[in-house]
Each structure stands twice: as structure tokens, then as C-alpha cells.
Amino acid sequence: MKKRALLSVSDKSGILEFAQELDKMGYEILSTGGTKRFLEENGVNITAVDEVTKFPEILGGRVKTLHPLIHGGLLAKHDDSQHQTEMAENGIAPIEVVCVNLYPFRETIIKPDVTVDDAIENIDIGGPTMLRSAAKNHAYVTVIVDSKDYAVVISELRAQSSTTPETRRRLAAKVFRHTAAYDSYISNYLTELTGEEYPEGLTLTYELEQPLRYGENPHQKAAFYRSPLGSDFSIANTKQVHGKELSYNNIQDANAALQIIKEFKMPAAVAVKHMNPCGVGTGETISGAFAKAYEADSTSIFGGIIALNREVDAETATQLAGIFLEIIIAPAFSEEALEILTQKKNIRLLTIPFDGTKQDKWNTVSVEGGLLVQQPDTFSYKDAEIQVPTDRQPTEAELEALKLGWSVVKHVKSNAIVVCDSDMTLGIGAGQMNRVGSAKIALEQAGNRAKGAIMASDAFFPMSDTVEAAAKAGIKAIIQPGGSKKDQDSIDMANAHGIAMVFTGVRHFKH
């Protein structure tokens, strides 16, 4: 009896050559629909599935392979006498090779004009069923879901008339990963349609972007996976145009830089170290913005990650080239800028479109044994219900500086304090166990530049000591959420020193 292979693919790449090799080896090839037509048009001998089942495709092609004569051939144990008897009694022949890939559901739902009906029609039923049947029975059946695996299967079939058990198990595991991901796209799409925020189960899928040399430290293994339906504006969607591969820490820092730079519409530059901003600047030009970011903290920027929201021109590239930097991210680099920056062998240059509209609906953070899920913190100054509880109102110049401080402080690890003026940060205090400790760091970094500047705090002041420290340094305005039982103490301290204070009503904790 001829060995049988069942081929049914939506992705035709490599399938003709694969089928031709099976044909040469004497396989009877079963197929349906478009795959059958494609192979026949290219001279491959094909047996239609309905010739085997003696049952026509029905319901517009929704039912064609869901039949015992197909699934019996996929699920039968070849060395089980009872199975063999039942197969003979029912006229079932075994199927040794299965090559199936699925209706393009993911590709369908990302289309901007997709309808629910289109999405539903692209939910494959027969394909996953055949894959799962064959993968369950991988002790006897070789199942392929990825065209990259055609070559190894053909090589082993040529060499020994069958694939190795190790190959069959590896391919079966790949199938179950594939069908699990496919089902996750469908379940998440339908869940989103229902508006259910916290379903009883959450299934997420990611695709390998690249193995990494190591993790946070050299003794830790690591890899980078991307969400296929994730945000447009993400490190996973950047294009690397120069430099060595990204490390685990590079990716973390670059992500932090991107989250900050997207706060700004005017030309802006962000410098990040250890996932905290060390300098943020804005200006009329991107060169001017970077000069401010550098001036903000010319020490910490060493070895940092830079994000810019305008094309890097020759002038800016010259500024950047004078500093040791790990990564520069921008919408584009001019030819002159590339010529300047690529002289540095190891610097990574990344581009990303700044006009992406798709944003992640949820942020996820892994904890041992679980996953935390929350909405991204998109709250901005324009969303706030501003109150000014102090005697003095902020001036227009102070208000612009307060807006900048509020845009930056949400991206600083708590406890967070930012000192800035209207176009650059002057001092940043991050991650201290008490708020006045963060304030002291930010004010010390700002030095004399704190006189006349503003202070932003990610959370309320539990006592007046932070305002007192700000007053001693010459701070003229403060922005904070408010909401402490002792707000009045901070208000009184501000009034005593002529400081204008703005309450936003919303905190920006970042852990």
C-alpha cells in the first residue's frame, strides 16, 4: 500500500517542491481546495479528499476533512492490532505525513476595514483538527505546520523512509504551540468584542524575535519575544540600521526611552539610564532639544540610550558622536548623519515610525507564579482637573515648566521627583524609599539651576518637609497629585515661601 500524505496550506511557499519530492518517493498525495488546484496545475498527481471520503465538500467548504476516513488515518496506532482491525473493517488507510497551515485569521483581523463576518469566516476548524490529530499521534505521523521544516523532513524521508522520533516530537510540539497561538488570537478577538475586561482565563501569545546573549547579568539566559498584535510604537517594531545586537538591558532601557519620547509633539530628546530618564530636553530643533537633554545631566548620559522624535541630521549626529552612547532611536537618520554615526562600530542605531496608531490596551508584568495586568498610564496634564490651592497662581512660564515636569515624572521610578524649567530637566530623583530623599537628589543635581525652577512629584507629600527643601533651593512652583491628609501643611509651607502649587488629582506611581 502506498504511503499517504495530506497537504492543505494557505501559505503556498515551498509546497510545490515539497509535494514533488513526496511524489518521487511514491506517496499518494491527498489535498483539497486551493492547494489541490495549485499542485495539479503544476503537474503533481493529487487525490481529492472527497474521493477518499466519498462525501462532497459542503457548507461552502466549512466541512471537507472532518470525516472518520481522514481522522482514522491520522489517529490510528500503526502497531496496535485492534486499531489495525478496525481500520481494515472500515476501509481506513493510514496517513503518514500531514502538512497543514491555517486560514489567515491574524492577518484578517489586523486589516483596518475588517468586519466581524470576515473574521469569523477566517476561523479555521478542519485545519487545527487535522493538526492536533496528527500531532497527538506523532509516534507514527510526521506533521508540519511551518514551511521551514520541509527540508529536514524530505532529507530524513530520503535517507531512511521515515522521520526520526525526535523530529516527529519536535514538529508535534511546534504544532501545538501554533494551534495554541491561533486559538489565543481568536479568543482574545472575541473577548474584546464582548467587552469583557477580566475573563476567567487570559491566554497571550508571543513570537521569538531573537535569542539574547544573556539577561540582566551574564549568568542569566534570556530571549526577546514580541507580541504579533502589539503596539505599533514599540521596541519590537524598531529597525536596526547599525551596530551590534541589542542586549536584555538595552531592550529594557530602549523601551523606557520610547515611552517617554511619545509624550512630546515638539522636537524632544530623552536620555535614559537604567530605565529612568537622566535628561529630557525640548527645543525648536532636534539639535537644540538634544543639547538641552545633554546639559540636563552630562555625567549620567554616558553609556545611555537616546530617543529623539525627529530625523537625526548632521548637526545632531555630530553632537551625538562626541559622547559614548549605547543606542540612538529616531524616526530616521539622514545620509550625512549615518556617515557620521556609523564610524562608531558598536553603537546601535534604531528607527521607528512615530505615526503608529495602535497602542497596547494592557500592560503586563510577570511575578513569580503569576502575571499582573493593568491599563497603561496614559493620564496627562490635559486630562487633569487642575486645582491651585496656594495663594499664588503659577505664571505662564511656570505653567509650561510644570507641564514638562508632569510629563516626565510619570516615567521615573517611585518615589519620583523632577526639577525642571520649561524646556529641560534639571534634576531627577528616582526610586528612593522616602520622597524627601528623592527631592534631595534632584535638588542637589539641579544645584543653582533650581532657583526659579519647578518641582514635580509623582505622588502627594505626606508632610511638608519636601516643600521646605524645595523652598530652600529656590523652587517657585510645584505640581503634585494632592490628596494627603496633611495637604494643608504643604500648602501652608508653600504659601510661607511664595510657592505656587498645582494639584492634578491623579498620582503616577511607577514600580
Side-chain angles (χ1 to χ4, degrees):
M1 183 183 293
K2 271 190 169 185
K3 289 186 176 182
R4 276 181 163 178
L6 194 159
L7 312 182
S8 179
V9 295
S10 58
D11 175 12
K12 303 296 190 292
S13 57
I15 193 63
L16 175 59
E17 294 78 8
F18 184 69
Q20 289 170 335
E21 289 296 326
L22 291 174
D23 194 25
K24 288 177 187 175
M25 286 186 271
Y27 276 79
E28 179 186 10
I29 299 175
L30 313 184
S31 193
T32 65
T35 307
K36 174 179 174 292
R37 288 192 298 274
F38 174 74
L39 294 176
E40 285 179 332
E41 288 168 2
N42 285 278
V44 180
N45 296 315
I46 297 296
T47 300
V49 164
D50 57 13
E51 292 179 44
V52 175
T53 63
K54 309 301 181 187
F55 198 94
E57 293 184 15
I58 61 171
L59 306 182
R62 284 188 169 197
V63 177
K64 45 183 179 273
T65 59
L66 298 170
H67 195 284
L69 291 175
I70 297 299
H71 285 275
L74 296 176
L75 285 164
K77 295 181 178 179
H78 296 188
D79 54 2
D80 186 302
S81 59
Q82 183 63 34
H83 283 204
Q84 295 304 308
T85 298
E86 291 176 6
M87 289 176 72
E89 290 173 351
N90 291 282
I92 300 172
I95 299 172
E96 286 85 0
V97 176
V98 174
C99 179
V100 172
N101 49 56
L102 308 177
Y103 293 170
F105 181 81
R106 186 182 79 186
E107 292 77 6
T108 298
I109 62 173
I110 63 176
K111 294 176 182 176
D113 57 348
V114 66
T115 65
V116 174
D117 285 345
D118 286 340
I120 297 299
E121 283 307 310
N122 277 279
I123 296 176
D124 202 330
I125 300 300
T129 307
M130 287 189 290
L131 286 173
R132 289 173 60 82
S133 294
K136 174 176 179 173
N137 206 31
H138 67 271
Y140 314 96
V141 181
T142 303
V143 57
I144 308 157
V145 75
D146 185 348
S147 60
K148 295 185 182 71
D149 295 311
Y150 291 163
V152 68
V153 169
I154 291 299
S155 176
E156 291 187 9
L157 291 177
R158 279 184 192 148
Q160 56 207 23
S161 299
S162 66
T163 52
T164 65
E166 293 77 15
T167 293
R168 292 196 297 276
R169 177 154 291 177
R170 178 180 65 80
L171 294 176
K174 193 171 191 177
V175 162
F176 283 116
R177 292 195 300 270
H178 184 73
T179 56
Y182 193 79
D183 282 342
S184 78
Y185 299 137
I186 297 167
S187 64
N188 291 333
Y189 174 78
L190 293 177
T191 299
E192 191 166 325
L193 288 182
T194 67
E196 192 169 0
E197 287 190 333
Y198 307 114
E200 76 291 340
L202 182 64
T203 305
L204 305 176
T205 190
Y206 294 86
E207 295 177 350
L208 181 65
E209 180 74 8
Q210 66 184 95
L212 300 173
R213 287 173 294 157
Y214 54 84
E216 275 185 300
N217 299 290
H219 61 275
Q220 295 171 270
K221 293 182 179 180
F224 180 32
Y225 286 78
R226 64 178 293 160
S227 171
L229 300 177
S231 169
D232 292 339
F233 196 70
S234 72
I235 185 65
N237 283 338
T238 56
K239 178 183 177 183
Q240 186 164 351
V241 296
H242 177 72
K244 62 184 180 181
E245 70 178 41
L246 299 176
S247 71
Y248 181 99
N249 292 333
N250 289 156
I251 292 168
Q252 290 269 52
D253 287 337
N255 176 65
L258 285 175
Q259 300 313 306
I260 304 169
I261 197 67
K262 71 180 181 183
E263 297 278 349
F264 299 96
K265 299 298 181 187
M266 69 183 74
V270 171
V272 165
K273 286 287 289 291
H274 306 301
M275 295 178 66
N276 278 305
C278 59
V280 177
T282 62
E284 294 297 319
T285 65
I286 198 63
S287 172
F290 175 72
K292 292 289 186 182
Y294 175 75
E295 185 184 346
D297 187 347
S298 58
T299 300
S300 298
I301 200 172
F302 182 86
I305 280 74
I306 305 297
L308 308 134
N309 63 356
R310 297 290 190 277
E311 180 183 74
V312 176
D313 54 21
E315 181 181 358
T316 310
T318 301
Q319 294 169 286
L320 293 162
I323 312 162
F324 168 62
L325 299 171
E326 291 277 0
I327 300 172
I328 303 170
I329 314 171
F333 295 83
S334 71
E335 289 186 17
E336 295 86 352
L338 283 174
E339 187 174 344
I340 294 166
L341 292 169
T342 53
Q343 299 301 310
K344 294 184 164 234
K345 180 181 177 181
N346 291 328
I347 193 169
R348 291 89 159 178
L349 305 180
L350 308 179
T351 61
I352 185 171
F354 272 61
D355 55 359
T357 56
K358 183 172 63 176
Q359 302 292 324
D360 286 342
K361 186 178 179 182
W362 302 101
N363 286 341
T364 59
V365 177
S366 64
V367 295
E368 188 161 356
L371 190 73
L372 289 170
V373 179
Q374 70 168 352
Q375 290 179 321
D377 184 1
T378 59
F379 189 90
S380 66
Y381 185 90
K382 69 177 184 297
D383 300 315
E385 295 181 6
I386 296 298
Q387 296 180 34
V388 181
T390 50
D391 295 337
R392 189 172 77 80
Q393 298 281 319
T395 65
E396 285 300 316
E398 289 168 350
L399 197 58
E400 289 306 306
L402 290 168
K403 291 177 182 177
L404 175 62
W406 193 243
S407 295
V408 175
V409 77
K410 67 186 280 189
H411 298 283
V412 179
K413 297 284 187 179
S414 301
N415 287 316
I417 295 289
V418 171
V419 175
C420 69
D421 60 23
S422 60
D423 59 6
M424 63 182 286
T425 56
L426 304 171
I428 297 174
Q432 299 306 298
M433 284 60 74
N434 65 77
R435 193 154 301 279
V436 73
S438 291
K440 286 178 179 178
I441 292 171
L443 292 167
E444 182 180 349
Q445 187 182 55
N448 289 332
R449 299 181 299 179
K451 293 178 181 178
I454 71 94
M455 173 184 284
S457 173
D458 67 332
F460 61 60
F461 300 135
M463 54 192 70
S464 62
D465 50 3
T466 303
V467 180
E468 184 177 12
K472 287 179 181 177
I475 294 294
K476 290 301 181 185
I478 293 173
I479 188 168
Q480 57 131 322
S484 169
K485 291 180 180 179
K486 295 185 176 181
D487 272 348
Q488 194 58 50
D489 291 350
S490 294
I491 294 167
D492 292 343
M493 183 65 70
N495 285 334
H497 293 278
I499 294 174
M501 186 180 291
V502 170
F503 284 177
T504 64
V506 172
R507 77 181 188 194
H508 281 310
F509 275 169
K510 183 176 177 64
H511 285 81

